[in-house]
Amino acid sequence: MAEDQTTTTTTTTAAAMKRVYLIINCIILAVGNCGGPLIMRLYFVRGGKRIWFSSWLETGGWPVILLPLLVSYTRRRRSGDQTLFLMRPRVFVAAAAIGAATGLDDYMYAYGVARLPVSTSALIIATQLAFTAAFAFVLVRQRFTAFSVNAVVLLTLGAVVLGLHTDGDRPEGESNREYLLGFFLTLIAAALYGLILPLVELMYKRAKQAVTYTLVMEIQLVMCFFATVFCTVGMVVNNDFQAISREAKEFELGETRYYVVVVCSAIIWQCFFLGAIGVIYYSSSLLSGIVITVLLPITEILAVIFYHEKFQAEKGISLFLSIWGFISYFYGDIKHNKDTNTNTNKNDVGNVNNNGLTAETQLADQTSIP
């Protein structure tokens, strides 16, 4: 009886800590998902023109991950574990391949941000949630409930409403070819990242080794490294490295602030990727996609605050639908966990009662007179 209570308490504590870590990763994802597009837009609005360089910045801050990995290694070494890296070759190859795909996705996304209005690009990027849900169902057999389906529908509708206000949609001086190319590349970027999230979850499931948060950070490091290599090749071909110093001098906010924007962009985008794979680790790729989508209207509101954009009614409706969908998902998740715990407790009580009856029967047999 005491052992059952101890086991139940330990399980409850572990579940509570898992939820705390999930919330922390959602916050990290929110910082990257809201801050990344805003600072990227600042780069283009104030005179930045290098698309390959902008996509490179999305993963170029990967050395930041070395700091927590160094702390983790130091702790392992003190406990007697001399292993430098936990990642096995199987996971390394998978992370490298996903990283290269992420680099391609970064370029297409950066091209769309450079060519399309925010409302239009937000509408297209929002389709990522539908792709994520479809690929998660196929690749990792994601379980859908009425609440999760409702959340996907509401969040998608919220993003559609966000994109309805497209007055003056095409920027001045932009050709039809550039506009259409930006549109289709952004759509492909949404579909590709909708595939990448379930692929990361699938990699966790088939890693054939213990998946810890340290391993998750190693995977993040490898993915971002190979994505950066992919974008570096594009920068070399496009002569972006030679153009950086000239672009910095012509930047509207000044040369020093140009480099501040560049460094901050690299760090903030690391928050996005680390938060995204962290949410997958503690929950699922579907929740990661939902969090990314629910933050779209919040990003729009931040754009209103920092860039003094107009706040149309569509943005308010989109925000309401997104929050509604987000609450719907979490309510369904909490209800499911509650039902699961109730059934578990009933089973435990049943086992205890059965054990008690067995013990009483044995005692009666032992004390009975033949």
Side-chain angles (χ1 to χ4, degrees), residues 277-309:
I277 67 172
V279 171
I280 294 173
Y281 172 68
Y282 286 111
S283 182
S284 66
S285 56
L286 178 62
L287 178 59
S288 187
I290 285 175
V291 173
I292 291 171
T293 304
V294 79
L295 291 170
L296 282 174
I298 297 176
T299 303
E300 286 293 313
I301 292 175
L302 291 175
V304 171
I305 296 172
F306 292 109
Y307 296 116
H308 307 291
E309 294 184 352

Side-chain angles (χ1 to χ4, degrees), residues 3 63 184 191 205 218 229 260-261 281-282 350:
E3 291 181 358
F184 286 113
K205 292 179 179 295
E218 290 183 5
V229 170
V260 171
V261 169
Y281 172 68
Y282 286 111

Side-chain angles (χ1 to χ4, degrees), residues 66-356:
L66 290 173
L67 296 177
L69 285 176
L70 179 61
V71 173
S72 178
Y73 170 71
T74 303
R75 293 178 60 185
R76 291 202 309 273
R77 189 171 182 180
R78 288 176 180 174
S79 63
D81 187 356
Q82 301 294 326
T83 306
L84 183 60
F85 293 107
L86 302 179
M87 186 182 301
R88 294 177 182 174
R90 175 189 180 90
V91 179
F92 177 84
V93 172
I98 295 175
T102 301
L104 176 61
D105 184 78
D106 290 343
Y107 174 76
M108 293 188 291
Y109 175 75
Y111 192 96
V113 171
R115 303 300 181 191
L116 300 175
V118 174
S119 57
T120 303
S121 61
L123 168 63
I124 301 171
I125 290 297
T127 61
Q128 170 193 311
L129 180 59
F131 289 114
T132 300
F135 287 125
F137 178 77
V138 174
L139 295 176
V140 296
R141 299 294 186 265
Q142 172 67 48
R143 180 185 60 84
F144 284 91
T145 65
F147 295 101
S148 58
V149 172
N150 183 55
V152 170
V153 172
L154 287 172
L155 288 166
T156 305
L157 284 176
V160 169
V161 171
L162 186 64
L164 290 177
H165 192 92
T166 54
D167 296 336
D169 192 30
R170 185 176 306 163
E172 294 182 5
E174 186 171 300
S175 66
N176 290 336
R177 179 182 176 278
E178 289 178 331
Y179 180 84
L180 291 175
L181 185 60
F183 184 93
F184 286 113
L185 285 182
T186 306
L187 182 61
I188 296 172
L192 181 57
Y193 202 71
L195 172 63
I196 287 173
L197 292 178
L199 282 178
V200 172
E201 184 175 359
L202 183 65
M203 178 171 54
Y204 292 163
K205 292 179 179 295
R206 298 188 178 181
K208 293 185 177 180
Q209 68 175 104
V211 180
T212 63
Y213 196 73
T214 299
L215 179 62
V216 169
M217 289 191 292
E218 290 183 5
I219 291 173
Q220 162 75 1
L221 180 71
V222 172
M223 286 175 56
C224 287
F225 174 78
F226 279 93
T228 304
V229 170
F230 180 90
C231 294
T232 300
V233 174
M235 288 184 66
V236 171
V237 173
N238 202 44
N239 297 320
D240 278 10
F241 286 106
Q242 294 86 335
I244 289 176
S245 58
R246 183 176 67 254
E247 188 175 75
K249 293 177 182 177
E250 298 173 354
F251 198 61
E252 292 181 15
L253 299 178
E255 186 174 357
T256 302
R257 291 183 179 178
Y258 174 85
Y259 290 110
V260 171
V261 169
V262 165
V263 172
C264 289
S265 179
I267 294 174
I268 290 174
W269 277 116
Q270 280 304 301
C271 292
F272 170 79
F273 288 107
L274 184 60
I277 67 172
V279 171
I280 294 173
Y281 172 68
Y282 286 111
S283 182
S284 66
S285 56
L286 178 62
L287 178 59
S288 187
I290 285 175
V291 173
I292 291 171
T293 304
V294 79
L295 291 170
L296 282 174
I298 297 176
T299 303
E300 286 293 313
I301 292 175
L302 291 175
V304 171
I305 296 172
F306 292 109
Y307 296 116
H308 307 291
E309 294 184 352
K310 294 180 180 179
F311 187 84
Q312 294 92 359
E314 291 87 348
K315 294 180 181 179
I317 296 173
S318 176
L319 179 62
F320 172 75
L321 290 173
S322 297
I323 293 175
W324 183 8
F326 197 59
I327 293 174
S328 174
Y329 178 86
F330 272 101
Y331 175 77
D333 185 60
I334 292 172
K335 187 175 184 300
H336 171 73
N337 292 335
K338 185 177 180 180
D339 293 341
T340 302
N341 292 334
T342 301
N343 293 333
T344 302
N345 292 334
K346 287 181 178 179
N347 292 334
D348 292 340
V349 171
N351 292 333
V352 170
N353 291 336
N354 291 334
N355 292 335

